[in-house]
Amino acid sequence: HGEERLGLLLNRSLPSVNKQSRPVDLVVVVSDNDPVSNFLEREDIESCFDGTSKDKVRFLQNERTSRMSSTGNWNTGILEALSTFGGDCWVAILDEDDEWHESHVETCLKSSTSQECQWVVSGIVRMGKTGESKEPIPDHIPLAKDFFTTNPGVQGSNLFVRCEALLKAGLFDEKLSSTTDRDLCIRLSDILHGVDSSFASTGEYTVVHYADPFRPRVSKYG
């Protein structure tokens, strides 16, 4: 994704994972760069973590679909979690330019009070060129129609979902070049609809999303 975004990964995103009050059990970093000229090394990633946390890091090359809004990367990471822990494990996704507050993982786990819970949503603070704004935090499972008309406050970096639910939803669609997280959330809503205990809201803002107005996007008008 370029040296600038690599810097954000190493200086913002991964350090926020390392600082979690409830340490994560596995960190999967998936590279979409050309493996021959890849300027991201395992040692660079490990330098973001303390002590034995380095042993939890797995650095993989995306061998699935490339350059499609990171869908191949995300699916690679999800399947790695599945092969390690099984379908009951929780998967949390973080874009390379976003960050978590240090209580993010702990807050999400505390909110998943039922074994039936499959999806936990926390609040997003959006950082833009005019300052910060807070996205609404859904207190119930968003309906599919919510994603067609607006963004109900769910995107990649605040996805906290059991691996089995992601599999049932079909993972990320690697044929889509945009709105991939919204597409997945629509399918999650469909499979979990009607089971209130399958969804939980933390009610807290623990994710910071940095909106770059100059970053090229397929979904951007014009």
Side-chain angles (χ1 to χ4, degrees):
H1 290 292
E3 293 187 20
E4 180 180 356
R5 297 186 70 78
L6 174 61
L8 295 174
L9 172 72
L10 298 176
N11 298 314
R12 177 195 290 165
S13 177
L14 291 181
S16 79
V17 177
N18 178 56
K19 294 176 182 176
Q20 290 301 297
S21 56
R22 195 290 191 186
V24 300
D25 298 313
L26 177 67
V27 179
V28 182
V29 179
V30 184
S31 175
D32 209 17
N33 297 313
D34 182 346
V36 176
S37 58
N38 197 348
F39 42 78
L40 178 62
E41 301 291 342
R42 179 182 175 85
E43 291 75 15
D44 298 325
I45 300 169
E46 290 182 342
S47 69
C48 299
F49 294 88
D50 301 323
T52 57
S53 294
K54 299 179 188 294
D55 298 332
K56 300 177 182 179
V57 175
R58 295 183 188 173
F59 180 39
L60 306 178
Q61 180 67 37
N62 176 23
E63 296 181 353
R64 299 175 64 92
T65 307
S66 181
R67 311 297 181 185
M68 291 296 280
S69 294
S70 298
T71 52
N73 296 51
W74 289 335
N75 286 342
T76 296
I78 293 168
L79 294 173
E80 182 71 11
L82 174 67
S83 67
T84 304
F85 299 113
D88 198 46
C89 74
W90 288 99
V91 172
I93 293 174
L94 182 62
D95 285 341
E96 71 267 41
D97 54 345
D98 294 340
E99 64 181 327
W100 292 334
H101 290 177
E102 62 183 30
S103 63
H104 176 67
V105 170
E106 182 177 11
T107 301
C108 288
L109 287 174
K110 285 182 176 179
S111 298
S112 60
T113 55
S114 167
Q115 183 62 30
E116 294 179 341
C117 187
Q118 301 291 308
W119 185 4
V120 180
V121 170
S122 57
I124 299 175
V125 178
R126 180 183 176 88
M127 302 296 294
K129 60 180 180 180
T130 59
E132 73 171 50
S133 60
K134 292 183 176 180
E135 301 285 346
I137 307 176
D139 57 4
H140 60 278
I141 297 179
L143 300 176
K145 65 181 182 64
D146 297 333
F147 292 97
F148 289 122
T149 57
T150 183
N151 184 344
V154 187
Q155 61 187 62
S157 290
N158 73 332
L159 274 179
F160 195 88
V161 186
R162 286 197 193 271
C163 193
E164 184 177 11
L166 292 169
L167 291 172
K168 287 181 178 178
L171 301 179
F172 287 93
D173 188 340
E174 297 182 23
K175 295 180 181 179
L176 287 179
S177 57
S178 185
T179 63
T180 52
D181 46 4
R182 187 172 300 196
D183 169 72
L184 176 60
C185 287
I186 289 172
R187 287 181 274 121
L188 281 171
S189 297
D190 285 342
I191 67 169
L192 299 177
H193 181 66
V195 185
D196 292 339
S197 58
S198 66
F199 180 87
S201 174
T202 69
E204 298 184 29
Y205 288 88
T206 55
V207 176
V208 182
H209 168 64
Y210 291 85
D212 182 359
F214 303 106
R215 182 182 174 188
R217 299 177 188 275
V218 174
S219 56
K220 186 175 181 181
Y221 177 77

